[in-house]
């Protein structure tokens, strides 16, 4: 996505948050503050963007966002668990309505078995407890491209969360053809064996001679 498209997406997000009176915090590792930069490039963004955390090291993630050391040691810095913890940590420390987190391997180095270059985990947390997570595998497309695409995904996820929870689907009424027809009460019929037969006058019998 081009810079102008990213700018348009940032503007749309800010307008939506402004309309819904939502504030945002960012917690970034591999993007180094690019999400916050994209948002604050738009004039007047200060009524939506509260602050950004750039937590590049594990120590920074623990000290600034409260990510548990056990989480980092067990799952690694680039993982769903760490991304979710970063998002909730930013939410707690910034006291905002929404928080987005990004942690990944932009390259060209840093890959480990099962975690290739281009792997990025993103999470967005909301004050009402909602959380969304996304794993992206951009591939070895270059450090700048991984970072730029991560910013776009983060903005899209913030848009999704800012729109609010979707209303539950209403059950569609069943078609009339499938509705059971109401039973009409009928007078019980007599059985054929008990049907009354109308008596007919018998023909006159001839007299005996």
């Amino acid at each position: 996505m081009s810079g102008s498209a990213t700018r348009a997406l940032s503007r749309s997000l800010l307008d939506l948050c402004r309309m819904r009176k939502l504030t945002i915090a960012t917690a970034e590792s591999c993007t180094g503050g690019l999400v916050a930069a994209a948002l604050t490039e738009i004039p007047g963004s200060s009524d939506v963007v509260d602050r950004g955390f750039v937590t590049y090291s594990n120590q920074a993630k623990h000290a600034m966002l409260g990510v548990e050391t056990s989480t980092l040691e067990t799952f690694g810095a680039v993982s769903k668990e760490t991304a979710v913890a970063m998002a909730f940590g930013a939410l707690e420390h910034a006291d905002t309505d929404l928080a987005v987190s990004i942690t990944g391997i932009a390259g060209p180095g840093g890959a480990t078995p099962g975690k290739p270059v281009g792997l990025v985990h993103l999470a967005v947390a909301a004050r009402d407890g909602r959380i969304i997570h996304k794993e992206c595998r951009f591939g070895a497309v270059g450090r700048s491209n991984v970072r730029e695409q991560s910013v776009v995904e983060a903005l899209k996820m913030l848009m999704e969360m800012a729109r609010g929870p979707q209303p539950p689907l209403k059950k569609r009424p069943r078609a009339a053809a499938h509705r059971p027809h109401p039973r009409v009460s009928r007078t019980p019929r007599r059985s054929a064996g008990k049907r009354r037969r109308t008596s007919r006058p018998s023909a006159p019998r001839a007299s005996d001679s």
Side-chain angles (χ1 to χ4, degrees), residues 144-179:
S144 296
N145 285 330
V146 171
R147 284 154 57 96
E148 290 172 6
Q149 291 182 55
S150 298
V151 171
V152 171
E153 290 299 327
L155 294 173
K156 289 180 178 179
M157 291 172 67
L158 281 167
M159 284 284 289
E160 178 184 347
M161 188 66 86
R163 291 189 182 105
Q166 298 297 318
L169 293 176
K170 294 182 179 179
K171 293 184 178 180
R172 297 177 61 183
R174 297 175 61 184
H178 297 289
R179 291 178 182 170

Side-chain angles (χ1 to χ4, degrees), residues 56-117:
Y56 214 64
S57 66
N58 285 358
Q59 176 59 30
K61 293 177 179 63
H62 174 70
M64 298 175 67
L65 300 174
V67 180
E68 296 291 340
T69 302
S70 58
T71 300
L72 294 164
E73 292 176 348
T74 303
F75 303 102
V78 182
S79 63
K80 172 184 178 179
E81 291 77 10
T82 295
V84 169
M86 288 172 64
F88 277 123
L91 202 64
E92 180 179 352
H93 287 76
D95 195 28
T96 54
D97 300 296
L98 304 175
V100 61
S101 67
I102 305 178
T103 179
I105 305 170
T112 59
K115 295 184 179 182
V117 169

Side-chain angles (χ1 to χ4, degrees), residues 6-208:
T6 302
R7 183 181 177 88
L9 183 57
S10 298
R11 188 182 299 277
S12 296
L13 172 62
L14 291 170
D15 288 343
L16 176 61
C17 289
R18 195 172 289 117
M19 179 181 68
R20 304 201 67 181
K21 301 186 184 304
L22 300 173
T23 53
I24 294 174
T26 63
E28 305 179 60
S29 183
C30 65
T31 47
L34 291 179
V35 176
L39 291 172
T40 55
E41 185 181 357
I42 309 300
S45 56
S46 60
D47 57 350
V48 174
V49 181
D50 179 76
R51 70 191 74 182
F53 301 90
V54 178
T55 55
Y56 214 64
S57 66
N58 285 358
Q59 176 59 30
K61 293 177 179 63
H62 174 70
M64 298 175 67
L65 300 174
V67 180
E68 296 291 340
T69 302
S70 58
T71 300
L72 294 164
E73 292 176 348
T74 303
F75 303 102
V78 182
S79 63
K80 172 184 178 179
E81 291 77 10
T82 295
V84 169
M86 288 172 64
F88 277 123
L91 202 64
E92 180 179 352
H93 287 76
D95 195 28
T96 54
D97 300 296
L98 304 175
V100 61
S101 67
I102 305 178
T103 179
I105 305 170
T112 59
K115 295 184 179 182
V117 169
L119 173 64
V120 178
H121 285 272
L122 305 95
V124 176
R127 180 62 56 185
D128 59 11
R130 287 176 295 141
I131 180 76
I132 55 176
H133 162 264
K134 186 171 186 178
E135 176 183 319
C136 297
R137 292 180 179 262
F138 299 117
V141 294
R143 184 176 181 84
S144 296
N145 285 330
V146 171
R147 284 154 57 96
E148 290 172 6
Q149 291 182 55
S150 298
V151 171
V152 171
E153 290 299 327
L155 294 173
K156 289 180 178 179
M157 291 172 67
L158 281 167
M159 284 284 289
E160 178 184 347
M161 188 66 86
R163 291 189 182 105
Q166 298 297 318
L169 293 176
K170 294 182 179 179
K171 293 184 178 180
R172 297 177 61 183
R174 297 175 61 184
H178 297 289
R179 291 178 182 170
H181 294 287
R183 298 185 61 183
V184 179
S185 60
R186 296 178 179 176
T187 304
R189 299 176 60 184
R190 296 184 176 90
S191 61
K194 296 183 179 179
R195 184 178 300 170
R196 294 187 60 185
R197 302 178 65 179
T198 305
S199 60
R200 295 180 180 178
S202 58
R205 297 176 61 184
S207 59
D208 297 333

